[in-house]
Amino acid sequence: MRAKYIELLAPAGDLDRLKAALIYGADAVYIGGKFLSLRSAANNFTLEDIKEGVDFAHSLNKKVYVTCNMVLHKEDQIDVLGYLKSLKDIGVDAIITSSMYIIKLNKEVGLDIHISTQLSTLNSMAVSTYKEMGATRVVLGRELDLYEIKEICDRSDVEIEVFIHGGMCSSYSGKCMLSNIMTDRDANRGGCAHSCRWKYHLFDNEKQLFSNEDYFSMSSKDLCTLKEIPSLIESGVTSLKIEGRMKSLNYLAFIVSTYRRCIDDYLNNNQMDFDSYFNNLIYAENRLTSHGFMHGNVTVNEMLYDLDHDFTNAGNYIGIVRKVDEKYAYLEVKNKIIKNNQYYKYSPIGELEKITILEMYLDDKEVDIYTVAGDILKIKCDKPLHEYDIINLIK
Amino acid sequence: MPKLLISIRDLSDLNLPCDGYVLGYEKYTSFASHCFTYEEIKTVKNKPIYILLNALIHEKDIEAVKKEVDRLIKLDVNFIVQDVGLLTYLLTLVNKDKVLFFQYTLICNKEELEAYYLSFGVASYISNEITLEEMKETLKEGHGVVSLFGYTPIYQSYRKVLSLYEIEKKIRFESKDLYLKENTRGEHYPIIENEYGSVIFRSAPSSLVEDYEYIKEAEYLFVDSIFLSQEMFTKVVELSNKVISGEIDREYILKEYKELGYDSPEGFKHHKTVLRK
């Protein structure tokens, strides 16, 4: 076995997803509180939720980081110190921030500080600066290649975290006002409208250069670095981060467990089965993916030009098992489910297994087809089910 | 009283009245109205020069950028930087009053500006995504740099989005005066590209000259000449000097703007950006 430990860090938009991410193999999760957090469309956690999440994670010897990465305006500054103290009291393992003000206030509180990718840290000089300020970890900008990431790790004596999967800003993170200018939705306060993924026309002065149907795009494919995981581990990074606090539980389960398997296979000197890893990812609702900047500045292959066909695999997620008793499993429905059909069951041990639904009840009334998302069905299958098992369409 | 900085496109602009001339440089300038060579800068004597090194510095460029900075320091120039690593490096070599920190989105309140000042001891650029009242409040304790007039960068990327599109479409753009128009909106956003990536700007220059009352506590005010006609640039510099010295008022400035055919955009001056709940 390779004598290395590396953290797999997953996003979680609510308590349910926090638990799922940890159960499916993350070593740590990052979450947003109701305050100071940059993903306003995520449900975000109350202090009580954070406490429950932290207690749950710590019971598994895992960690919880809380994002405080919003660019603060005056009205956002209501009792920041009190909030930080509450997070400390709860036992949060670190906060993620881009604010010098929060770093300054935290000197009184003593939380571990992770520097957010919003600060676009791209060199070891900046890493050292943040270390001097008290940061225990720096999340690097996504524009670095593998060689540069290794160089930074070699030259830094602070933990380094890198993104390995998920959405990419087309711009340097934190250096974009497109959304705010076009829609009054401030990306640096959690309201990003993803304006960089919209359709544009290119003009030479007043002259439109292409037809109305021929759009200019600056959109990026999402990041996927399964093949780069061995190099990233060897580079000396501490933490591998998955993006997407607003992604579904299904997405998290497949992405987290796939990277878990990839990392563990490498660390344990097992055969790396990239075909199998990539096959697993097709059950998550992905946009098209690429390796981003991992091998140098992006080429056309890392850009997304077909804006009408950027999503794959939406609608596969049929449901999640919420509890089981001796006879039945209780499934929270996400998409249409049909009795006697065959589905895939995906479980935290990371294996897809074909199952057939034999019985299906809503409030003890038998149903053959059901479509209402959020309702709980009592089901019986030909194979045992467990809490947090996921049911997916067979592809 | 704030110091007025202006970015220049030609060394003849060094005759314009101000407290400092901002010059793009042949290396590590992400965007500027013009990038000057080392040899050109060397010819400038007895003028307060600020070299604009607003590219973000990648690890592979560290040694080269240090060399370049070491060379520039010998010319006794000041620096404007966006990269925290470069800022820290510069502060080991020159006095703090010779460096300004420009990043365009992250400082939106007084406490943040103060925290930057405590951390680095230099004046920092404040975002213009805040209202005039918020700017006034933010600038209370000094150390702030404000964009007085010019096109604001609204997207800064390491991706060379124009070149990539050329490759994708197998075409070659002949012109450098390129604009983006979003499919459902009317505005034209200037877009440029160089070896440090791509930058998109607001569709019109923003002006706070007429709102000077709100920003008079700034330590520096910056007029950026990028994309401006010489007539417009010269007039704005004249108005800026006059408003700082108290010779003219808001009505006068708006009248002058009208004669120039310039309509100062509202931006976020009077409405807060939306905090999506």
Side-chain angles (χ1 to χ4, degrees):
Chain A
M1 178 171 172
R2 288 180 167 90
K4 279 182 186 274
Y5 164 79
I6 192 151
E7 177 183 271
L8 177 60
L9 175 57
D14 56 30
L15 258 177
D16 195 24
R17 283 175 278 178
L18 178 148
K19 290 177 182 175
L22 295 174
I23 287 167
Y24 273 86
D27 299 302
V29 290
Y30 62 101
I31 63 175
K34 294 282 181 194
F35 195 44
L36 308 181
S37 174
L38 198 52
R39 288 288 174 269
S40 57
N43 288 339
N44 289 334
F45 289 64
T46 62
L47 285 174
E48 291 72 28
D49 292 338
I50 295 174
K51 173 145 181 36
E52 189 179 335
V54 167
D55 289 346
F56 180 81
H58 288 179
S59 73
L60 301 173
N61 205 21
K62 299 186 176 197
K63 292 180 177 176
V64 176
Y65 310 134
V66 175
T67 55
C68 300
N69 54 352
M70 176 196 279
V71 171
L72 302 177
H73 288 214
K74 190 182 174 187
E75 70 264 26
D76 305 322
Q77 290 179 297
I78 308 158
D79 197 18
V80 178
L81 185 61
Y83 181 63
L84 296 179
K85 283 178 176 168
S86 300
L87 296 180
K88 175 79 175 173
D89 291 344
I90 285 169
V92 160
D93 296 285
I95 57 166
I96 304 167
T97 190
S98 58
S99 164
M100 295 299 130
Y101 173 56
I102 288 177
I103 292 171
K104 186 185 121 190
L105 285 182
N106 183 59
K107 290 191 191 310
E108 204 180 305
V109 181
L111 283 158
D112 273 8
I113 293 274
H114 296 180
I115 296 294
S116 165
T117 195
Q118 291 297 104
L119 288 179
S120 287
T121 306
L122 301 166
N123 62 67
S124 51
M125 298 188 295
V127 170
S128 301
T129 304
Y130 294 130
K131 195 220 165 198
E132 289 300 308
M133 289 177 179
T136 52
R137 180 182 293 186
V138 176
V139 187
L140 298 181
R142 276 167 269 206
E143 289 80 8
L144 292 165
D145 62 34
L146 287 167
Y147 176 78
E148 290 178 302
I149 291 169
K150 183 172 184 342
E151 289 284 296
I152 290 175
C153 290
D154 289 347
R155 292 171 182 169
S156 306
D157 54 356
V158 65
E159 292 180 352
I160 297 296
E161 180 177 306
V162 294
F163 279 91
I164 55 166
H165 195 95
M168 298 273 276
C169 284
S170 173
S171 69
Y172 284 114
S173 290
K175 312 222 176 295
C176 181
M177 292 188 219
L178 289 176
S179 171
N180 207 8
I181 296 293
M182 293 186 190
T183 69
D184 277 349
R185 285 171 53 177
D186 188 348
N188 289 324
R189 298 172 86 201
C192 182
H194 293 120
S195 306
C196 63
R197 297 178 184 176
W198 294 356
K199 295 169 177 173
Y200 291 85
H201 294 293
L202 197 57
F203 281 73
D204 176 355
N205 283 306
E206 294 300 309
K207 185 185 153 205
Q208 188 171 323
L209 290 178
F210 302 98
S211 71
N212 276 339
E213 290 72 38
D214 213 355
Y215 298 111
F216 176 85
S217 166
M218 61 188 117
S219 185
S220 168
K221 287 180 184 169
D222 281 4
L223 182 66
C224 176
T225 62
L226 281 165
K227 285 197 168 158
E228 288 73 26
I229 289 297
S231 301
L232 285 168
I233 292 173
E234 292 304 328
S235 72
V237 300
T238 299
S239 180
L240 302 173
K241 183 177 208 163
I242 295 164
E243 181 275 348
R245 275 190 283 142
M246 295 189 286
K247 296 284 171 87
S248 73
L249 194 151
N250 179 68
Y251 175 91
L252 270 180
F254 278 97
I255 302 295
V256 168
S257 61
T258 304
Y259 276 95
R260 175 81 277 154
R261 201 146 60 84
C262 176
I263 291 165
D264 289 348
D265 283 346
Y266 182 74
L267 292 178
N268 294 314
N269 276 326
N270 295 339
Q271 181 72 37
M272 304 290 285
D273 187 353
F274 287 104
D275 287 344
S276 157
Y277 309 148
F278 281 108
N279 280 340
N280 238 21
L281 292 191
I282 65 170
Y283 293 94
E285 311 88 334
N286 269 313
R287 295 173 79 232
L288 296 175
T289 60
S290 82
H291 54 63
F293 290 87
M294 287 287 161
H295 300 286
N297 206 341
V298 294
T299 68
V300 289
N301 297 323
E302 286 76 61
M303 300 295 286
L304 190 58
Y305 291 112
D306 185 1
L307 296 174
D308 293 324
H309 302 97
D310 64 340
F311 262 93
T312 59
N313 315 314
N316 293 333
Y317 180 23
I318 299 302
I320 176 167
V321 177
R322 289 306 186 185
K323 65 172 185 176
V324 291
D325 58 25
E326 307 80 51
K327 215 170 162 195
Y328 293 103
Y330 296 82
L331 184 83
E332 182 183 336
V333 176
K334 296 293 179 183
N335 275 300
K336 185 165 89 173
I337 183 166
I338 302 171
K339 193 170 80 173
N340 295 325
N341 263 21
Q342 237 187 8
Y343 294 100
Y344 267 141
K345 174 191 89 166
Y346 195 62
S347 63
I349 55 165
E351 277 180 10
L352 284 164
E353 189 179 12
K354 279 183 182 164
I355 57 161
T356 304
I357 308 227
L358 305 172
E359 297 174 36
M360 217 161 75
Y361 304 92
L362 178 71
D363 299 331
D364 291 328
K365 188 179 165 199
E366 191 150 19
V367 287
D368 293 332
I369 299 176
Y370 201 74
T371 55
V372 181
D375 282 358
I376 301 287
L377 290 182
K378 190 165 80 175
I379 61 170
K380 189 172 185 184
C381 300
D382 58 342
K383 287 177 187 141
L385 294 171
H386 302 93
E387 192 181 354
Y388 278 104
D389 281 352
I390 281 170
I391 309 299
N392 240 273
L393 284 181
I394 294 174
K395 300 284 278 190
Chain B
M1 192 182 288
K3 296 184 187 78
L4 179 65
L5 304 177
I6 65 171
S7 75
I8 61 168
R9 292 91 67 88
D10 188 284
L11 292 181
S12 64
D13 288 337
L14 290 168
N15 294 320
L16 292 168
C18 67
D19 301 297
Y21 300 92
V22 177
L23 278 66
Y25 187 55
E26 58 186 314
K27 291 178 182 169
Y28 309 114
T29 297
S30 167
F31 57 94
S33 44
H34 182 76
C35 289
F36 294 86
T37 64
Y38 183 84
E39 293 307 319
E40 284 174 309
I41 295 169
K42 212 166 124 183
T43 64
V44 181
K45 304 290 179 203
N46 302 320
K47 296 281 185 186
I49 298 297
Y50 290 75
I51 305 295
L52 181 64
L53 303 177
N54 56 0
L56 290 172
I57 306 303
H58 286 237
E59 184 69 12
K60 63 181 163 51
D61 295 324
I62 282 185
E63 294 314 314
V65 79
K66 281 181 176 174
K67 256 187 206 166
E68 209 57 50
V69 163
D70 293 348
R71 200 156 83 109
L72 284 164
I73 284 171
K74 291 178 186 144
L75 300 180
D76 194 27
V77 292
N78 306 282
F79 294 91
I80 295 173
V81 298
Q82 182 174 205
D83 186 275
V84 163
L86 179 54
L87 173 65
T88 308
Y89 178 68
L90 270 167
L91 292 177
T92 64
L93 303 172
V94 299
N95 285 337
K96 290 176 175 176
D97 60 1
K98 292 185 83 68
V99 188
L100 302 178
F101 185 52
F102 271 36
Q103 53 72 32
Y104 300 87
T105 54
L106 294 180
I107 301 177
C108 291
N109 67 73
K110 178 163 65 88
E111 287 74 15
E112 193 70 37
L113 180 61
E114 207 173 298
Y116 267 91
Y117 186 71
L118 282 172
S119 301
F120 300 109
V122 304
S124 298
Y125 186 99
I126 68 165
S127 167
N128 59 10
E129 293 177 280
I130 55 178
T131 65
L132 289 172
E133 286 295 344
E134 286 172 320
M135 280 195 184
K136 189 176 176 180
E137 166 79 12
T138 302
L139 294 166
K140 260 184 184 166
E141 308 296 328
H143 320 305
V145 184
V146 173
S147 170
L148 185 63
F149 194 97
Y151 282 84
T152 308
I154 58 173
Y155 167 97
Q156 218 186 326
S157 177
Y158 192 46
R159 297 163 197 270
K160 296 176 183 174
V161 294
L162 291 173
S163 299
L164 290 169
Y165 195 70
E166 283 182 325
I167 294 166
E168 171 68 12
K169 294 289 175 187
K170 299 181 179 60
I171 48 154
R172 188 112 193 117
F173 299 133
E174 285 165 20
S175 170
K176 295 289 170 199
D177 296 323
L178 296 174
Y179 298 83
L180 288 183
K181 178 187 164 297
E182 195 276 319
N183 193 31
T184 60
R185 289 171 170 76
E187 294 83 7
H188 285 55
Y189 305 98
I191 177 168
I192 60 166
E193 179 186 296
N194 64 16
E195 65 178 296
Y196 303 104
S198 321
V199 184
I200 300 171
F201 297 82
R202 288 190 80 157
S203 56
S206 308
S207 170
L208 293 174
V209 185
E210 68 276 28
D211 301 304
Y212 178 71
E213 274 307 298
Y214 291 92
I215 54 169
K216 61 186 179 189
E217 302 295 332
E219 195 168 332
Y220 294 89
L221 296 173
F222 177 46
V223 173
D224 193 347
S225 60
I226 194 166
F227 308 128
L228 299 184
S229 68
Q230 190 65 26
E231 182 197 16
M232 183 71 163
F233 176 45
T234 310
K235 176 55 82 177
V236 168
V237 171
E238 179 198 322
L239 293 174
S240 300
N241 276 294
K242 283 183 174 170
V243 79
I244 291 170
S245 60
E247 292 171 51
I248 56 173
D249 60 12
R250 178 180 169 84
E251 281 64 42
Y252 181 90
I253 296 160
L254 292 177
K255 195 171 116 287
E256 290 285 309
Y257 278 170
K258 201 171 178 185
E259 278 176 26
L260 281 167
Y262 168 66
D263 192 11
S264 175
E266 182 62 14
F268 298 105
K269 287 180 184 179
H270 299 289
H271 84 273
K272 289 175 187 293
T273 70
V274 178
L275 180 57
R276 189 173 160 207
K277 299 286 185 192

